[in-house]
Amino acid sequence: AQSVSQHNHHVILSEAASLELGCNYSYGGTVNLFWYVQYPGQHLQLLLKYFSGDPLVKGIKGFEAEFIKSKFSFNLRKPSVQWSDTAEYFCAAHPGFQKLVFGTGTRLLVSP
Amino acid sequence: EAGVTQFPSHSVIEKGQTVTLRCDPISGHDNLYWYRRVMGKEIKFLLHFVKESKQDESGMPNNRFLAERTGGTYSTLKVQPAELEDSGVYFCASSQDPFTEGALGYGYTFGSGTRLTVV
């Protein structure tokens, strides 16, 4: 079955630490990939997306993600996290038809 | 530009009761989606409307769930009768075209969700 896997369910970091959240997908064909973030009490927001082209994608708030086709991965990174990055992060894939498939989410807690 | 609005934000009902969730999409968005997240699990697709028509309802769990989109505007999702396993957060999203960046915004815009608790 088509799926998206996020390896880390909970991550705790100190401010200024570097972040990498793993995401793998199981589709063999063309796939569009996304990272969404949900801050406490807010709606899901798009952080960044990959459709084609440069596999290193830059998003909002200093986040970036790298699409590695050979590894079926789309990991999210940020060089230095802030307390305000505390949120839940969702990787999602869009395999060509009009519904997103999400991973289970990763809760990030950044301690000041 | 107003976002996607969902009502209520929270609902606590007893098993066997009926609950109706509402979603108001962004004006001009033909596509409307319902998703659900059961505690600790992934966000799962329920169904997709294009205007007032159901394009894909493959994710609807069973016939206790009924979704409508009258006139292609707002949508309701009714659960009748509710069971304990229906508890979770129900998200609505809308888009004009999820692959096009344009004046109406890119891709999907999500609402804040309705947290449903069945006791």
Side-chain angles (χ1 to χ4, degrees):
Chain A
Q2 300 161 335
S3 66
V4 174
S5 300
Q6 291 183 243
H7 317 298
N8 316 101
H9 297 294
H10 292 89
V11 173
I12 301 174
L13 295 172
S14 299
E15 275 195 315
S18 64
L19 169 72
E20 181 160 3
L21 301 183
C23 173
N24 287 88
Y25 60 94
S26 66
Y27 312 101
T30 301
V31 62
N32 302 306
L33 297 161
F34 306 80
W35 275 97
Y36 281 87
V37 61
Q38 187 173 27
Y39 298 102
Q42 297 188 26
H43 61 276
L44 280 164
Q45 300 174 42
L46 181 67
L47 266 182
L48 46 79
K49 66 188 185 294
Y50 173 77
F51 277 4
S52 63
D54 188 344
L56 185 61
V57 179
K58 295 195 182 299
I60 61 171
K61 305 188 180 187
F63 285 91
E64 64 179 31
E66 185 175 12
F67 170 62
I68 303 179
K69 189 174 182 179
S70 62
K71 295 184 178 180
F72 295 88
S73 70
F74 190 57
N75 292 355
L76 181 71
R77 300 195 293 248
K78 186 170 184 178
S80 176
V81 294
Q82 301 172 320
W83 176 79
S84 58
D85 293 325
T86 293
E88 191 157 17
Y89 293 80
F90 296 90
C91 183
H94 200 294
F97 35 85
Q98 295 208 20
K99 60 186 180 187
L100 286 172
V101 179
F102 286 88
T104 51
T106 298
R107 286 188 182 274
L108 172 65
L109 175 63
V110 180
S111 57
Chain B
E1 175 185 90
V4 176
T5 305
Q6 291 188 247
F7 182 83
S9 57
H10 294 81
S11 179
V12 181
I13 62 170
E14 293 184 350
K15 176 181 172 181
Q17 289 186 322
T18 297
V19 63
T20 300
L21 314 181
R22 175 171 168 143
C23 170
D24 286 75
I26 290 175
S27 177
H29 281 192
D30 291 338
N31 295 283
L32 187 149
Y33 312 83
W34 284 98
Y35 287 82
R36 176 176 75 169
R37 189 185 191 202
V38 172
M39 184 67 68
K41 301 279 183 76
E42 68 270 29
I43 301 170
K44 281 194 170 181
F45 169 82
L46 294 178
L47 88 159
H48 168 209
F49 284 100
V50 177
K51 297 184 180 179
E52 68 275 8
S53 301
K54 292 176 185 175
Q55 181 77 9
D56 180 354
E57 52 184 331
S58 60
M60 295 288 265
N62 51 60
N63 59 10
R64 294 185 294 103
F65 289 76
L66 175 64
E68 294 179 322
R69 190 179 183 194
T70 307
T73 55
Y74 70 91
S75 174
T76 57
L77 180 64
K78 180 190 288 187
V79 185
Q80 179 182 30
E83 298 289 344
L84 299 179
E85 64 265 25
D86 301 331
S87 295
V89 180
Y90 289 77
F91 293 100
C92 176
S94 73
S95 73
Q96 182 57 21
D97 176 350
F99 296 108
T100 300
E101 291 181 87
L104 292 176
Y106 165 79
Y108 299 80
T109 301
F110 282 85
S112 299
T114 294
R115 183 173 294 277
L116 174 65
T117 303
V118 183
V119 298

